[in-house]
Amino acid sequence: MQKNDVITEISKFHNITNEEINNLEKFISFLLEYNKKINLIGSSTIDNIWMRHILDSAQLLEFITDKELVIADLGTGAGFPGIILSILGIKNIYLIEKSPRKCQFLREVRKTSPNQINILEKNIDDIQNIKFDVITSRAFAPLDKLLNISQNLLKDQTYYLLLKGKNLEKELDFCKKQLKNYKYQILDSRSSGEGKIIRLSKNNL
């Protein structure tokens, strides 16, 4: 699935504009240039970057009810899904990443979005006095660890939107006791046959 196919797919759940498409292209240019210096994405994914990274991130928009909600992207790495969501209209997002070199990239590339992007260069469990409406993450940590380290970020109505791969069932099985406190849905990914999205909350979904 290449650029035009991905744009068509995104259009099914988001009214994508020409400006947004241009900003996604600028982001990709930054990413590929920086990837020569530090490892941000695997070389095997470059030829399929629009599907593997852009669509994979963008699909979370379908489940974000209000673009004014404040979002935290945990272990954002190269800015997936956080920067893509920002480019596509999320007004205020926090990118949480402890790697100084990746944060340097994020500070450069956030200019591709017209919306507010805040970069927190620290461990997740060191973050104090900030609560979020939505928590996202992609290929960052197993579900049990992710739930444990993010408890200090939650409001009463916070929900998680997590991009997961083929090991999701094992992760769910491993944290059965934790999940008794949550309600969750497992949704199919638009970008991968093996991928899943898990929407999870301590309250009603």
Side-chain angles (χ1 to χ4, degrees), residues 98-114:
K98 68 178 183 179
S99 165
R101 297 185 77 194
K102 290 178 180 176
C103 285
Q104 182 182 357
F105 164 74
L106 295 171
R107 291 185 187 102
E108 286 290 321
V109 82
R110 68 179 167 187
K111 67 184 72 171
T112 61
S113 173

Side-chain angles (χ1 to χ4, degrees), residues 108-162:
E108 286 290 321
V109 82
R110 68 179 167 187
K111 67 184 72 171
T112 61
S113 173
N115 295 305
Q116 180 68 35
I117 295 177
N118 313 280
I119 297 164
L120 301 183
E121 187 181 325
K122 55 178 64 181
N123 290 319
I124 293 161
D125 45 12
D126 290 335
I127 297 170
Q128 302 294 328
N129 303 318
I130 310 176
K131 307 290 184 182
F132 300 97
D133 301 305
V134 183
I135 292 176
T136 66
S137 183
R138 176 184 188 245
F140 167 60
L143 184 58
D144 62 317
K145 179 181 178 182
L146 196 151
L147 295 177
N148 282 334
I149 63 177
S150 60
Q151 290 301 301
N152 57 317
L153 309 179
L154 305 182
K155 301 179 180 179
D156 289 342
Q157 301 298 322
T158 300
Y159 63 94
Y160 295 83
L161 284 173
L162 309 176

Side-chain angles (χ1 to χ4, degrees), residues 19-36:
E19 181 183 4
E20 289 169 347
I21 294 168
N22 290 337
N23 286 336
L24 289 173
E25 290 173 332
K26 290 175 187 176
F27 170 81
I28 290 172
S29 295
F30 266 109
L31 176 65
L32 294 178
E33 188 60 33
Y34 242 87
N35 207 52
K36 298 172 184 176

Side-chain angles (χ1 to χ4, degrees), residues 47-135:
D47 288 343
N48 204 11
I49 195 167
W50 278 91
M51 185 181 78
R52 290 287 297 275
H53 299 294
I54 305 302
L55 177 58
D56 195 50
S57 299
Q59 64 182 322
L60 294 186
L61 271 181
E62 189 171 0
F63 310 104
I64 297 173
T65 55
D66 181 353
K67 290 182 179 178
E68 300 287 344
L69 294 175
V70 180
I71 295 177
D73 185 21
L74 309 187
T76 190
F80 300 121
I83 287 183
I84 306 308
L85 295 175
S86 178
I87 288 172
L88 295 177
I90 296 299
K91 301 302 182 186
N92 191 7
I93 195 159
Y94 286 73
L95 307 181
I96 303 172
E97 174 56 54
K98 68 178 183 179
S99 165
R101 297 185 77 194
K102 290 178 180 176
C103 285
Q104 182 182 357
F105 164 74
L106 295 171
R107 291 185 187 102
E108 286 290 321
V109 82
R110 68 179 167 187
K111 67 184 72 171
T112 61
S113 173
N115 295 305
Q116 180 68 35
I117 295 177
N118 313 280
I119 297 164
L120 301 183
E121 187 181 325
K122 55 178 64 181
N123 290 319
I124 293 161
D125 45 12
D126 290 335
I127 297 170
Q128 302 294 328
N129 303 318
I130 310 176
K131 307 290 184 182
F132 300 97
D133 301 305
V134 183
I135 292 176

